[in-house]
Amino acid sequence: MNLELQNKVVLVTGGSDGLGAATAQELALEGASVAICARGQDKLRAVAQGINASGGKALAVTTDVTKLEDLTRFVDLTIQHFGRIDALVNNAGKAAAMPFENISDELWAEDLDLKFHAAIRLSKLVIPHLRAVGGGSIINILATGGKTPAASSMPSSVSRAAGMALMKAMSKDLGKDNIRVNGVLIGFVESDQWVRKAELTGQTLEQVYAGLTPTIPLGRVARAQEFADLIAFLVSARAAFVSGCAINFDGGMSAAV
Ligand SMILES: NC(=O)c1ccc[n+]([C@@H]2O[C@H](COP(=O)([O-])OP(=O)(O)OC[C@H]3O[C@@H](n4cnc5c(N)ncnc54)[C@H](OP(=O)(O)O)[C@@H]3O)[C@@H](O)[C@H]2O)c1
């Protein structure tokens, strides 16, 4: 399948690690230019250098997505460097799940800022550039908890549900400009967040993944490459009529369609 991503420019937030890094690498392999951001400079630069060294085109911009001035700089530098923007993947995030009564006002605000307001602010900055090239694609990376919030799954499940409503409403506003907006709801995917969990809990990575699998009908955690393949498809012209979808990427785990 030809994804026709040559000469396209895609922004990926949280591109220094895990799913964001895998996505940037896959998009670059398919011929897209990628602009990636994260707070930590070293890993971010290493991902961009790896892509550039293998013949791809990557720009790394150190960015905290919760800061509007950083987001503005990310978009401005991308335009200066690549001259256009065709797609945005709002991926930066981190796990936050605990019982309702344990969550402080500060944590609610922090989680919504990282997973919800950042996507709003960056989308607003990017939309004029998508219009300028005749349309484009915005993908919000969410989690299955947004559809099926479990006990002690907050604040994340609530931020993700907000992100899902945002995606749907935006798809209706922006369809007239040929801008597609979709959400990908993740179950469990191999990534650096699980590596850190293994280190914190003194388990092997295999033990962490084995602990996640009993609820997954396909019997395993997803690979980051499989996630990246889905994102590359959604960004591409092959998904030209796909908009307003909240796609489960969970091996059949979620109780909701
Ligand atoms: N992997 C899973 O099983 C799973 C499940 C459900 C949802 N998700 C969601 O999928 C997305 C990717 O997860 P992952 O597993 O790849 O996580 P990860 O390995 O921890 O990577 C997270 C990325 O986000 C960046 N980031 C975090 N806070 C940021 C901020 N304020 N500004 C800019 N960048 C920031 C991190 O870099 P810095 O720390 O250097 O900023 C890193 O590049 C996240 O939104 C996550 O919540 C993942």
Side-chain angles (χ1 to χ4, degrees), residues 207-220:
Q207 285 170 326
V208 171
Y209 290 146
L212 299 171
T213 53
T215 54
I216 305 172
L218 287 182
R220 65 175 177 83

Side-chain angles (χ1 to χ4, degrees), residues 174-189:
L174 297 169
K176 65 181 184 322
D177 298 316
N178 194 31
I179 296 172
R180 302 180 293 107
V181 191
N182 290 290
V184 173
L185 279 71
I186 299 177
F188 298 120
V189 191

Side-chain angles (χ1 to χ4, degrees), residues 67-254:
K67 294 184 178 156
L68 179 59
E69 62 273 24
D70 282 19
L71 294 175
T72 305
R73 184 169 162 272
F74 181 37
V75 172
D76 288 350
L77 287 177
T78 302
I79 289 295
Q80 275 175 34
H81 198 78
F82 291 127
R84 60 186 286 154
I85 296 174
D86 298 275
L88 163 64
V89 184
N90 285 307
N91 165 75
K94 67 172 183 190
M98 61 193 74
F100 175 67
E101 288 175 290
N102 293 2
I103 309 167
S104 64
D105 283 1
E106 289 73 26
L107 182 55
W108 275 113
E110 191 187 300
D111 202 65
L112 280 161
D113 234 21
L114 173 61
K115 296 172 181 164
F116 182 58
H117 291 126
I120 293 174
R121 292 182 183 126
L122 188 51
S123 298
K124 270 181 91 169
L125 291 168
V126 161
I127 285 165
H129 297 289
L130 300 183
R131 271 202 197 101
V133 294
S137 167
I138 297 175
I139 302 173
N140 288 350
I141 305 310
L142 306 167
T144 53
K147 282 184 186 174
T148 52
S152 304
S153 65
M154 297 160 279
S156 198
S157 58
V158 175
S159 301
R160 297 317 195 177
M164 197 164 57
L166 172 73
M167 172 280 293
K168 189 63 165 177
M170 280 177 64
S171 75
K172 294 194 178 290
D173 269 14
L174 297 169
K176 65 181 184 322
D177 298 316
N178 194 31
I179 296 172
R180 302 180 293 107
V181 191
N182 290 290
V184 173
L185 279 71
I186 299 177
F188 298 120
V189 191
E190 290 176 0
S191 80
D192 297 270
Q193 67 163 278
W194 301 114
V195 176
R196 289 194 298 276
K197 182 165 182 178
E199 283 162 7
L200 273 175
T201 57
Q203 296 170 283
T204 64
L205 191 55
E206 290 67 33
Q207 285 170 326
V208 171
Y209 290 146
L212 299 171
T213 53
T215 54
I216 305 172
L218 287 182
R220 65 175 177 83
V221 169
R223 295 180 192 103
Q225 179 63 49
E226 293 167 328
F227 171 85
D229 289 342
L230 173 60
I231 303 305
F233 168 74
L234 283 177
V235 163
S236 81
R238 301 287 76 77
F241 208 59
V242 181
S243 193
C245 293
I247 300 166
N248 293 351
F249 181 77
D250 66 351
M253 182 177 74
S254 178

